[in-house]
Amino acid sequence: MNTVTRPRILVVGAGFAGVECVRRLERKLAPAEADVTLVTPFSYQLYLPLLPQVASGVLTPQSIALSLRRSKKYRTRILPGGAIGVDLKAKVCVVRTITDKIVNEPYDYIVLAPGSVTRTFDIPGLTEHAFGMKTLAEAAYIRDHVITQLDLADASDDPAERAARLQFVVVGGGYAGTETAACLQRLTHAAVTRYPRLDPGLIKWHLIDIAPKLMPELGDKLGRSAQEILGRRGIEVSLGVSIDKASAEEVTFTDGRVVPTHTLIWTAGVVASPLMATLGAETVRGRLAVTPEMCLPGHDGVFALGDSAAVPDLAKDDGAVCPPTAQHAMRQGRKVADNVIATLRGQPMQPYVHRDLGLVVDLGGKDAVSKPLGVELRGVPAQAVARGYHWSALRTNVAKTRVMTNWLLNAVAGNDFVRTGFQARKPARLKDFEFTDAYLTPEQVRAQVEGKALEGP
């Protein structure tokens, strides 16, 4: 009996790009046309732009973790694990499952959307003592940690320890760092009123960045407005400065200042997933070099998009590539799905073209700066645009309801300053959350595909 197998489409990553691609494939492909598999360690899509609001307690973690298993109508197979290597010649993706088993997943078409990881540098003590803001676990952990510092300061009779516990350092003047500092400062400002023994004047937030401007993508005027808002709240912004070294109890800045602190949050940019280095293909600053159709030149059936791909930005004339934003990732996901379907059906592919819709920065409360379609907004109008954009970008009605309910409840009832117990055991830092050492070398990928044993993790 002749058996006809359906083409196998493998999507790596459940971020904005990967999920948009999968959902469009499910809507536009007939069940008999192809089998779709999604490789992801977590069966949810994380709405990253709202992580600072989870860290500050405005939103619950569940409200921005959109389940991929909730709907019964989707037919994609979810493979729980992380892709750690790709053999382009053999058309095999090597996956480490959540049980630590290494498996070979063959494909006919592969869509690489593994996203990005936190960019770090060779700074003494950085990965051992800093927190990141890239995962749901990190955001929830940071909230626990910050409230713990208030509790420990309140319990201490040592003035030096108390002052150190109440100083907080955020590195990175982009959107993530600025919003994180702004939201967490509001948390500590509100919480300290519940600690009669603590002097509110001891709480100090530092936001530093090596760049000369805060959020330069917003333009000079809005960048200055954001900096003024932070300054009014008492957040000290230092530009042209980074950290020289870090320890458990202090951080040394490159300008020589030493800040006693137990809280260092690192948000100084992202880099493409290390998975891209396993392909042995051309990269642009770590991002896989692809065509405007998001294909890998010289390899049929290989697509890449999102933070891990250098997708030419055809809306500009300067040879730029699309920035690693959710706005581009979502639209690239839909376009890649269309191009995969076109390839399956023998039709021509279309290039990705999208004009940037603007930027929104939510600083908490009534403070925000936004630039929708080039129009500069501040204050309540900017906040309305920022939250309206995020709310509309949430993929499910359940998520929209949860987020809106959280916003309304927080506006009416304020915050609850409780710890959930994450710190009851072993402390965790940047190196413990993103598992960047789990990836294989191209040689290890080849050995795995050829059936040779690999050493354990």
Side-chain angles (χ1 to χ4, degrees), residues 42 44 46 48 51-52 54-55 64 116-118 132-142 429-430 432-435:
F42 306 107
Y44 62 78
L46 178 63
L48 272 168
L51 268 185
V54 171
I64 67 167
S116 56
V117 297
T118 300
M133 182 60 78
K134 197 75 173 64
T135 68
L136 194 61
E138 284 175 313
Y141 192 94
I142 285 174
R429 294 297 186 271
L430 186 64
D432 300 310
F433 285 102
E434 295 194 40
F435 309 107

Coordinates of all heavy atoms in Angstrom, one line a residue, residues 42 44 46 48 51-52 54-55 64 116-118 132-142 429-430 432-435:
F42 N 7.4 26.4 26.8 CA 6.2 26.8 27.5 C 5.1 26.8 26.6 O 5.2 27.4 25.5 CB 6.4 28.1 28.2 CG 7.7 28.2 29.1 CD1 8.8 28.9 28.7 CD2 7.7 27.5 30.3 CE1 9.9 29.0 29.4 CE2 8.9 27.6 31.1 CZ 10.0 28.3 30.6
Y44 N 2.6 28.7 26.3 CA 1.9 30.0 26.3 C 2.8 31.0 25.5 O 4.0 30.9 25.3 CB 1.7 30.5 27.7 CG 2.9 30.7 28.5 CD1 3.7 31.9 28.4 CD2 3.3 29.8 29.5 CE1 4.8 32.1 29.1 CE2 4.4 30.1 30.3 CZ 5.2 31.2 30.1 OH 6.3 31.5 30.9
L46 N 4.0 34.8 25.6 CA 4.2 35.8 26.6 C 4.1 37.2 26.0 O 4.8 37.4 25.0 CB 5.6 35.6 27.3 CG 6.0 36.7 28.3 CD1 5.1 36.6 29.5 CD2 7.5 36.5 28.8
L48 N 5.4 40.3 26.1 CA 6.6 40.9 26.8 C 6.5 42.3 27.1 O 7.0 42.7 28.2 CB 7.8 40.7 25.8 CG 8.6 39.4 26.0 CD1 9.6 39.3 24.8 CD2 9.4 39.4 27.3
L51 N 5.7 43.1 30.8 CA 6.4 42.4 31.9 C 6.7 43.4 33.1 O 6.5 43.0 34.2 CB 7.7 41.9 31.4 CG 7.7 40.4 31.0 CD1 9.1 40.0 30.6 CD2 7.1 39.5 32.0
P52 N 7.1 44.7 32.8 CA 7.3 45.6 33.9 C 6.1 45.7 34.8 O 6.2 46.0 36.0 CB 7.7 46.9 33.3 CG 8.3 46.5 32.0 CD 7.5 45.3 31.5
V54 N 3.9 43.4 35.4 CA 3.9 42.2 36.3 C 4.8 42.3 37.4 O 4.5 42.0 38.6 CB 4.2 40.9 35.4 CG1 4.4 39.7 36.3 CG2 3.1 40.7 34.4
A55 N 6.1 42.8 37.1 CA 7.1 43.0 38.2 C 6.6 44.0 39.2 O 6.9 43.8 40.4 CB 8.4 43.5 37.6
I64 N -0.8 37.9 31.2 CA 0.0 38.2 30.0 C 0.6 36.9 29.5 O 1.4 36.9 28.6 CB 1.1 39.2 30.2 CG1 2.2 38.8 31.2 CG2 0.4 40.5 30.7 CD1 3.4 39.7 31.2
S116 N 14.9 36.3 21.1 CA 16.2 36.8 21.6 C 16.5 36.5 23.0 O 15.6 36.0 23.8 CB 16.2 38.4 21.4 OG 15.1 39.0 22.1
V117 N 17.7 36.7 23.5 CA 18.1 36.6 24.9 C 18.7 37.9 25.4 O 19.1 38.7 24.6 CB 19.0 35.4 25.1 CG1 18.4 34.1 24.7 CG2 20.3 35.6 24.3
T118 N 18.8 38.0 26.6 CA 19.4 39.3 27.2 C 20.8 39.4 26.8 O 21.6 38.4 26.9 CB 19.3 39.2 28.7 OG1 17.9 39.1 29.1 CG2 19.9 40.5 29.3
G132 N 17.4 39.8 35.3 CA 17.0 40.2 33.9 C 15.5 40.5 34.0 O 14.9 40.4 35.0
M133 N 15.0 41.0 32.8 CA 13.6 41.2 32.7 C 13.2 40.7 31.3 O 12.7 41.5 30.4 CB 13.4 42.7 32.8 CG 11.9 43.2 32.7 SD 10.8 42.4 34.0 CE 11.2 43.4 35.4
K134 N 13.3 39.4 31.1 CA 13.0 38.8 29.8 C 12.0 37.7 29.9 O 11.4 37.3 28.9 CB 14.3 38.3 29.2 CG 14.3 38.0 27.7 CD 14.3 39.3 26.9 CE 14.5 39.1 25.4 NZ 13.3 38.4 24.8
T135 N 11.8 37.1 31.1 CA 10.9 36.0 31.2 C 9.8 36.3 32.3 O 10.0 37.2 33.1 CB 11.6 34.7 31.6 OG1 12.1 34.9 32.9 CG2 12.8 34.4 30.6
L136 N 8.8 35.5 32.3 CA 7.7 35.7 33.2 C 8.2 35.4 34.6 O 7.9 36.1 35.6 CB 6.5 34.8 32.9 CG 5.2 35.1 33.6 CD1 4.7 36.4 33.3 CD2 4.2 34.0 33.2
A137 N 9.1 34.4 34.7 CA 9.6 34.0 36.0 C 10.5 35.1 36.6 O 10.4 35.4 37.8 CB 10.4 32.7 35.9
E138 N 11.2 35.8 35.7 CA 12.1 36.9 36.2 C 11.2 38.0 36.8 O 11.6 38.6 37.8 CB 13.0 37.4 35.1 CG 14.2 36.5 34.8 CD 15.0 36.9 33.6 OE1 14.4 37.2 32.6 OE2 16.2 36.9 33.7
A139 N 10.2 38.4 36.0 CA 9.3 39.5 36.5 C 8.7 39.2 37.8 O 8.7 40.0 38.7 CB 8.3 39.8 35.4
A140 N 8.2 38.0 38.0 CA 7.6 37.6 39.3 C 8.6 37.5 40.4 O 8.3 38.0 41.5 CB 6.9 36.3 39.1
Y141 N 9.8 37.1 40.0 CA 10.9 37.0 41.0 C 11.3 38.3 41.5 O 11.6 38.6 42.7 CB 12.0 36.2 40.4 CG 13.1 35.7 41.5 CD1 13.0 34.5 42.1 CD2 14.1 36.6 41.8 CE1 13.9 34.1 43.0 CE2 15.0 36.2 42.7 CZ 15.0 35.0 43.3 OH 15.9 34.6 44.3
I142 N 11.5 39.3 40.5 CA 11.9 40.6 40.9 C 10.9 41.3 41.8 O 11.3 42.0 42.8 CB 12.1 41.4 39.6 CG1 13.4 41.0 38.9 CG2 12.2 42.9 39.9 CD1 13.7 41.7 37.6
R429 N 19.4 34.4 39.8 CA 19.9 35.6 39.1 C 19.8 35.4 37.6 O 19.3 34.4 37.1 CB 21.3 36.0 39.5 CG 21.5 36.4 41.0 CD 20.7 37.6 41.3 NE 20.9 38.1 42.7 CZ 20.2 37.7 43.7 NH1 19.2 36.9 43.6 NH2 20.5 38.3 44.9
L430 N 20.4 36.3 36.8 CA 20.3 36.4 35.4 C 20.7 35.0 34.8 O 20.0 34.5 33.9 CB 21.2 37.5 34.9 CG 21.2 37.8 33.4 CD1 19.8 38.3 33.0 CD2 22.2 38.9 33.0
D432 N 20.4 32.1 35.8 CA 19.6 31.0 36.1 C 18.3 30.9 35.3 O 17.5 29.9 35.4 CB 19.2 31.0 37.6 CG 20.4 31.0 38.5 OD1 21.3 30.1 38.3 OD2 20.6 31.9 39.4
F433 N 18.0 31.9 34.5 CA 16.6 31.9 33.9 C 16.6 31.7 32.3 O 15.7 31.2 31.8 CB 16.0 33.3 34.1 CG 15.4 33.5 35.5 CD1 16.1 34.2 36.4 CD2 14.2 32.9 35.9 CE1 15.6 34.4 37.7 CE2 13.7 33.0 37.1 CZ 14.4 33.8 38.1
E434 N 17.7 32.0 31.6 CA 17.6 32.0 30.2 C 18.3 30.8 29.5 O 18.2 30.6 28.3 CB 18.1 33.3 29.6 CG 17.2 34.5 30.0 CD 17.5 35.7 29.2 OE1 17.7 35.6 28.0 OE2 17.5 36.8 29.8
F435 N 19.1 30.1 30.2 CA 19.7 28.8 29.7 C 20.5 29.0 28.4 O 20.4 28.2 27.5 CB 18.7 27.7 29.6 CG 17.8 27.5 30.8 CD1 16.5 28.0 30.8 CD2 18.3 27.0 31.9 CE1 15.7 27.8 31.9 CE2 17.5 26.8 33.1 CZ 16.2 27.2 33.1

